Amino acid sequence: MRILSLNQISKKYNQAKEFAVNDVSFDVEEGEILALIGESGSGKTTVLRLIAGLEHPDAGSISLSGQVIVEGKKSVPAHERQVGMVFQDYALFPHLTILENVKFGLKKNLSDPIKVAEDTLKLVGLREDYHKYPHQLSGGQQQRVALARAIAPNPKILLMDEPFSNLDAMLKDQVREEIRQIIKKTGITAIFVTHDTKDALSTADRIAILHKGYLQQIDIPKNLYEFPVNPYVANFFGKRNEIMAVPREDGFHTTFGFITDPEAKKYKEKVRLMFRPEHGEVVRRDGQQLSGKIVKISYFGSHQMVKLADEEGKRVTIRTNPGRSFDGMERAFFYLWKYDVEEAF
Ligand code: ADP
Ligand code: MG
């Protein structure tokens, strides 16, 4: 079931030259976690603020739970939208205990707000810390207080702006998983903003990618990575190699060697072959393969990256397992099990 719909939303700030958000439309399904990803300034925070009611769009409409909350001049006030928000800096009240922080957002007519606040803190794993103040907690714990405060009123949707950006790398993997589990346990629908592809790929059910305020693609992580709709999306999700090739009847001629491919005859003159480092495999010499001069080997523990060059010095990077040895080798052979073909003009 669809819970949120943005329809052709555009927003330009006063005095700004460009639109911060350009004709953006997407739907969010109930219970889903959507990551909104893009470079700094791509409009991510603005999209959250438009949904929360902190900004009003110049065009477009927004529906939440079947109710139109934004259309033309109509705008349901932020406090009536039942949207939970976790801000980038958590925005906890420093002079209130964490229990008071969580209680703060609850409706005054609740029969037992303290119990609701306590239960929510338990849910996020903070049962012993009710009477501590925010500064007495770690960054990860403060974030869980902010999350508890946002979900305690039982919002229709939870919005989180860069929830993982203030955590160090060691903590990040763990916190991502914890937050994902808490959200899934409550069944709440969530949108989180990030600029980190790892955050998005590991935590989200679907990812929407923004560039200069335009939505580029919205899809499951695997499809964004494997089937990007344009070069911008492809490159955003990691390094791609690009080599020129000349199509022949039975394959592509490249400066790294010949690739047998019956599809090649579909193309004219010149093409670009695009592939990620993990779409190649370094192999021992046999059969028809590509090869290059070994320029650099970088070891990462879980894998190695091998840089190979053609006669002109053009380089490609191939990912290989950490155990493979290149001792005494000047050249390495490789094959590609996957590549995209783009017409070159
Ligand atoms: P992101 O969260 O992806 O970094 P933002 O939504 O914050 O991007 O910003 C999108 C664009 O709108 C940027 O060019 C930014 O400079 C501009 N912008 C954001 N907030 C304001 C504002 N309050 N007034 C004017 N311009 C703004
Ligand atoms: Mg932002």
Side-chain angles (χ1 to χ4, degrees), residues 3-173:
I3 189 152
L4 176 77
S5 287
L6 272 69
N7 306 297
Q8 300 185 294
I9 287 288
S10 292
K11 167 72 189 174
K12 190 165 136 176
Y13 289 102
N14 289 337
Q15 267 115 46
K17 277 205 214 91
E18 311 276 347
F19 277 84
V21 173
N22 267 301
D23 199 23
V24 164
S25 303
F26 63 84
D27 296 330
V28 181
E29 299 291 314
E30 194 158 8
E32 149 172 84
I33 301 179
L34 178 78
L36 205 54
I37 196 167
E39 294 165 66
S40 175
S42 58
K44 307 180 296 294
T45 296
T46 305
V47 169
L48 288 196
R49 293 176 63 84
L50 287 163
I51 298 167
L54 305 173
E55 301 288 349
H56 191 72
D58 298 299
S61 63
I62 303 177
S63 309
L64 182 62
S65 293
Q67 185 203 359
V68 177
I69 55 170
V70 172
E71 187 167 44
K73 292 233 162 9
K74 173 181 174 166
S75 172
V76 172
H79 64 272
E80 287 172 22
R81 290 191 187 187
Q82 293 180 264
V83 167
M85 184 110 183
V86 176
F87 295 92
Q88 193 166 359
D89 58 2
Y90 313 144
L92 297 175
F93 303 112
H95 57 287
L96 297 183
T97 65
I98 68 169
L99 186 67
E100 290 163 343
N101 262 281
V102 175
K103 214 183 92 195
F104 186 87
L106 294 170
K107 286 218 174 68
K108 306 292 168 263
N109 60 7
L110 276 184
S111 64
D112 196 350
I114 293 188
K115 172 142 192 339
V116 174
E118 283 179 354
D119 286 348
T120 316
L121 280 165
K122 262 184 220 154
L123 179 77
V124 301
L126 290 171
R127 64 172 65 230
E128 262 123 51
D129 305 302
Y130 297 161
H131 300 295
K132 286 190 179 161
Y133 288 85
H135 73 267
Q136 296 172 296
L137 303 178
S138 72
Q141 289 172 324
Q142 288 181 29
Q143 185 187 45
R144 279 186 275 155
V145 177
L147 179 63
R149 187 177 63 185
I151 63 180
N154 196 19
K156 290 174 176 160
I157 193 163
L158 172 69
L159 308 177
M160 296 181 283
D161 198 352
E162 303 271 5
F164 310 116
S165 66
N166 293 334
L167 305 166
D168 53 43
M170 285 278 279
L171 209 59
K172 228 175 159 185
D173 286 343

